[in-house]
Amino acid sequence: MKECGYSEINTRGTSPMESPHIKKKATVRRKWEVFPGRNKFYCDGRVMMARQTGVFYLTLILILVTSGLFFAFDCPYLAVKITPAIPVIGGILVFFVMGTLLRTSFSDPGVLPRATPDEAADLERQIDVANGSTSGGYRPPPRTKEVVINGQTVKLKYCFTCKIFRPPRASHCSLCDNCVERFDHHCPWVGNCVGKRNYRFFYMFILSLSFLTVFIFAFVITHVILRSQQSGFLNALKDSPASVLEAVVCFFSVWSIVGLSGFHTYLISSNQTTNEDIKGSWSSKRGKENYNPYSYGNIFKNCCAALCGPVNPSLIDRRGFVPADMPQAVSPSNGLTMYGSTQSQSNMGQIHETPVLLENY
């Protein structure tokens, strides 16, 4: 008797717009890919820099080329005539300069995360209640709060871009479009903002670069003098033409580098930032009305607070994964990246700030 074969029939209906052989895959993205600020990210979000990095590469070229010429043309002669410790000390200084430069340039300076749409709406409601505004009346822009720090009243300014009240000493950088904690300044030479999380590395960079510049300049001059005593000045320049280039570069750069190191040494000793010093926010004298509430009143304690304390973790979690319900980033006509949900909700009645490099509290 012949057996009958049965085949299984799929009774589930398929959508006319969906093929049974095509499955939709949910794309998993990291937070740095939808980051709303004007930053560049490399190595899967591990490296964070400003968008304008041309001057940073110039800094790298100047340091590496000048140091390379010194090791190639001056160190062999100086190691024989004076001491072999000269190239060793120079190598240590170059290593330290490059390490602190890259640490400053590639790290998060202390960017504060922007408020989510729900947090921004809740903060707007708190501002309305605090100022007694009604739906039908005129609402002035009340965008400041006051807190007391060590007996000194400090104003917190509301950031219309990040939708937050900035913490004390924070400011919004218009080049990176981020609020940065303990904002010092935006430095194009390192290609990044200088803030709470990378200030100590920035200071160690300019301080070690000052020592390296003085070191190279002094021993280049020594090299030329020693050769001049043997064969004359012109012959010495012909024997080591690179020494002339090194001496010129070091001579014109040492004044600004050493001066910058001295200026930031003063800021650290008084526990101030460049932003505060330029605006004249605080006085160094404790008895005055605008005394600095962040100073410990002692140079040693101020230096320890700036250079020896723990480095706080990053607040933006740039390598974290974007939740499925998180508003996706959109690219508006001006080329900037921002959250689409935040943009659509805040366009009605948003007050735009004048773009400046440093914003007041």
Side-chain angles (χ1 to χ4, degrees):
M1 188 173 179
K2 191 175 181 180
E3 296 182 359
C4 297
Y6 297 92
S7 60
E8 184 179 356
I9 300 176
N10 186 8
T11 58
R12 292 179 297 176
T14 58
S15 172
M17 299 298 294
E18 181 182 357
S19 172
H21 302 288
I22 300 177
K23 295 182 179 179
K24 293 183 179 179
K25 293 183 179 180
T27 58
V28 179
R29 294 191 296 175
R30 294 188 183 271
K31 293 181 180 180
W32 67 265
E33 298 181 83
V34 296
F35 186 72
R38 301 192 193 107
N39 294 91
K40 290 181 180 179
F41 294 89
Y42 304 95
C43 301
D44 198 20
R46 293 178 177 87
V47 175
M48 178 181 182
M49 299 185 69
R51 186 170 295 178
Q52 300 86 359
T53 54
V55 183
F56 165 73
Y57 295 117
L58 176 61
T59 305
L60 281 179
I61 292 173
L62 288 174
I63 295 175
L64 294 177
V65 170
T66 305
S67 302
L69 292 176
F70 175 71
F71 287 116
F73 291 93
D74 298 286
C75 282
Y77 183 87
L78 295 171
V80 174
K81 293 295 182 179
I82 301 180
T83 173
I86 293 176
V88 175
I89 297 174
I92 294 174
L93 285 174
V94 171
F95 179 79
F96 195 81
V97 166
M98 292 303 301
T100 52
L101 170 61
L102 298 180
R103 183 66 172 82
T104 305
S105 304
F106 292 169
S107 60
D108 169 22
V111 174
L112 295 169
R114 302 190 181 191
T116 63
D118 293 337
E119 292 171 344
D122 182 65
L123 189 57
E124 290 288 341
R125 286 193 295 268
Q126 294 180 20
I127 294 175
D128 291 342
V129 172
N131 291 274
S133 59
T134 59
S135 59
Y138 168 74
R139 186 185 70 180
R143 304 300 178 185
T144 58
K145 285 185 177 181
E146 291 186 350
V147 296
V148 179
I149 300 176
N150 293 330
Q152 183 71 274
T153 301
V154 178
K155 287 187 177 181
L156 309 182
K157 184 179 177 183
Y158 180 81
C159 179
F160 290 92
T161 303
C162 302
K163 307 294 182 184
I164 60 172
F165 278 100
R166 301 186 197 120
R169 315 189 88 177
S171 188
H172 191 93
C173 175
S174 63
L175 292 178
C176 295
D177 199 27
N178 296 314
C179 279
V180 180
E181 195 173 7
R182 200 186 181 277
F183 180 76
D184 191 86
H185 68 289
H186 181 94
C187 183
W189 295 99
V190 302
N192 204 350
C193 286
V194 178
K196 184 175 183 178
R197 297 191 69 250
N198 64 349
Y199 180 78
R200 69 181 61 184
F201 304 106
F202 171 78
Y203 176 73
M204 289 188 287
F205 162 66
I206 58 175
L207 188 63
S208 59
L209 184 60
S210 299
F211 285 116
L212 177 64
T213 306
V214 173
F215 180 84
I216 292 178
F217 183 72
F219 281 105
V220 164
I221 298 300
T222 303
H223 179 202
V224 173
I225 292 175
L226 292 177
R227 281 191 179 273
S228 299
Q229 294 175 351
Q230 295 177 348
S231 57
F233 181 71
L234 294 179
N235 291 329
L237 297 182
K238 291 180 181 179
D239 294 337
S240 182
S243 299
V244 180
L245 178 61
E246 299 167 45
V248 171
V249 172
C250 291
F251 177 78
F252 285 102
S253 59
V254 68
W255 311 106
S256 58
I257 297 173
V258 173
L260 186 63
S261 300
F263 172 68
H264 280 277
T265 301
Y266 156 73
L267 293 179
I268 289 177
S269 64
S270 59
N271 205 336
Q272 293 188 80
T273 65
T274 302
N275 188 24
E276 294 168 348
D277 183 76
I278 291 176
K279 294 185 300 184
S281 302
W282 314 115
S283 172
S284 58
K285 296 182 178 180
R286 193 73 179 177
K288 290 192 175 182
E289 294 182 358
N290 62 332
Y291 66 88
N292 185 4
Y294 308 108
S295 175
Y296 292 91
N298 182 281
I299 295 178
F300 179 76
K301 291 183 179 179
N302 288 336
C303 292
C304 290
L307 302 176
C308 302
V311 178
N312 295 337
S314 177
L315 300 177
I316 55 177
D317 187 26
R318 55 188 182 273
R319 298 197 69 245
F321 293 101
V322 179
D325 57 346
M326 184 177 179
Q328 299 299 318
V330 296
S331 297
S333 58
N334 60 358
L336 305 182
T337 303
M338 60 184 67
Y339 292 107
S341 177
T342 306
Q343 173 76 357
S344 61
Q345 291 184 14
S346 61
N347 276 345
M348 299 299 294
Q350 181 179 3
I351 302 175
H352 298 278
E353 292 179 315
T354 303
V356 292
L357 178 60
L358 302 175
E359 296 182 358
N360 298 331
Y361 288 109

